[in-house]
Amino acid sequence: MKRTGARLAVHALEQLGIQHTFGIPGVHNTELYDELGKSDSVTPILVTHEGGGAFMADGISRTSDQTGTLVIVPAAGMSHAMSGIGEAFLDGIPMLVLSGGIRRDSGKHYQLHAVDQGRILDGIIKQYTLVESHADVIPSIYDAYDTAHADEPGPVFVEIPVELQLFRGAVEEMPAYAPSGDPEPAFDEAEIERAADLLLDADHPGIYVGWGAVDAHEWTARIADRLVAPVATTLQGLSAFPATHPLHTGVGFGPSAVPAAQEAFADCDALLAVGCRFAELATGSYGMAVPDALVHVDINPEVFHKNEPAEVAIEGDAAQVLEALDGALDAHAGSVPRSRDALAAQIRENKNDYQQTWGSDTSSEKVSPGPFFHRLRERLDDDAQMVVDDGKHTFLAAELFPVHRPRGFISPSDFNCMGYCVPAAIGAKFARPDRQVAAIVGDGAFLMTGMELLTATTHGLGVMVFVFHDGELGQISQFQSIPLNRKTCTVLNDFRVEGVADAVGAHFIAMESDADIEPALDEALDVSAGGRPVLVDVNIDYSRRTQMTKGVVKTNLGRFSTGEKVRFLARAAKRHLLG
Ligand SMILES: Cc1ncc(C[n+]2csc(CCOP(=O)(O)OP(=O)(O)O)c2C)c(N)n1
Ligand SMILES: [Mg+2]
């Protein structure tokens, strides 16, 4: 049979169960778009910027069993999308990117969009495929999809040259997609036994889970209960363990962690770490004291012994390994000499006290973070989706908003790309329109991708976007003002959030002070439930420092040589005294 490459590509997407693609058409993919327009099961979504499209695709992958998919033009579309592709790469998120490609059959040089895409993308994708023939279109897309999901997931990129899309070519069949089965576990029973022994021998074992363990939370909970061990998470993996569990403590456990985690892990003498890699952001600038007795479990063996040497390193899927570990621990049931009730009571008390210190800051001038997050949690459904950006608000949310559901909180982590939140929230709403989606974004990041709300308005997606409007690139300005007493290039140019709401057709609400929190939340929930995006301008009070900020300052300063420490402290003192 003869088919155009465009038809073959869209057949593959249909077979893969892709429901939405994100991107912008151009001359290199109009045939693809035409086929997408005809498809009964795939809907192409026009975005305002391919970077936003990539974040939407990321939001889809993080919050559902769909795989976020882009259809973009080469060169310019690709480079715009790279922000989201890079985020997906460093955060281990599957993503399928289809791009048109320049003609290979014309012999012409200096074509429009002619760049070596594979070379440009090399450091931020798992696989690049240039499709060479009609017969290769479908297998290339299936293979890329499998790669995106294999081992540690990540983005893959398939370039389909224009002439393949345009013209018909011979193919033997239009194969259906057959998923490759789960790989055989790579670990053996002896490793599991060693891990169990090490954890059982400890007086104060702890558990630390990242995004890689997000689908293994039930096993994590069983093991935590068996061992009577507190559970901390990474920032990206904030939702990998429900905050409703009595042994959940919060993000990390060093000086950058909330008091509940600091105390619960103070004497930690053995750690079970799953689906995480002790990265800078998650560890408060490597400020966590990880015990020598470390059991490190990850699907990606590259992460072992990098920042923290492990006594037992087990390569494998988090759920498979934890299930086996739970079985090994079962043999010693009841042998743990610690009181779960006592540990849970201590964690609960610490959490309550910490909330109280933020909750009592009521202000008539601004919106206080404590009451804001407290009321937001009260008002939102248990299964609501939280999406944040990168900034000061991220750490406030991490410390003050308890996440009740696995995958219920998503954030741009190791690529750490501002502008993630609004489009990722829209992606999450596309994936699950039935769920409430609350997005918390800094004003600086909002300026980057806020116009993407137009896509939400167009498709009737009632996302709630809370712009934490401090007039600054707050996360950075604080790290300038603490040691330097300066804010070079971190004070934002003034703008009106209401004007953006007006431009994109979103419902606007001003939240000026604490008294506005409840009525504004009620209105936001009400309007968004009707399918209209809501933009809330939050006059946030950023005057109080999170534990994360305090911890990171302390950790970094502590690492300076005495001479540099003196120089920094003297400069800070001088600048703060003299202005
Ligand atoms: C694309 C990009 N540019 C710059 C940075 C560095 N950066 C990290 S946080 C931050 C400030 C964010 O400001 P805003 O969005 O207003 O959030 P706030 O910290 O004020 O809550 C900056 C500039 C980044 N992470 N990503
Ligand atoms: Mg800001």
Side-chain angles (χ1 to χ4, degrees), residues 392-393 441-445 468-475 492 542:
K392 227 169 159 173
H393 59 279
V441 59
D443 41 7
F468 276 23
H469 200 162
D470 67 328
E472 294 185 10
L473 298 167
Q475 173 73 357
L492 290 169
Y542 267 161

Side-chain angles (χ1 to χ4, degrees), residues 222-241:
R222 285 176 70 124
I223 292 172
D225 288 337
R226 278 193 198 288
L227 290 172
V228 185
V231 183
T233 70
T234 63
L235 182 64
Q236 187 189 346
L238 187 65
S239 70
F241 197 68

Side-chain angles (χ1 to χ4, degrees), residues 80 183 185 203 210 223 233 282 295 321 462 537 559:
H80 272 18
D203 291 326
I223 292 172
T233 70
V295 178
V321 175
D537 189 355
R559 248 183 237 130

Side-chain angles (χ1 to χ4, degrees), residues 136-158:
D136 283 345
V137 174
I138 294 174
S140 298
I141 294 173
Y142 291 168
D143 182 61
Y145 180 90
D146 286 342
T147 302
H149 288 275
D151 307 323
E152 184 180 339
V156 292
F157 197 97
V158 182

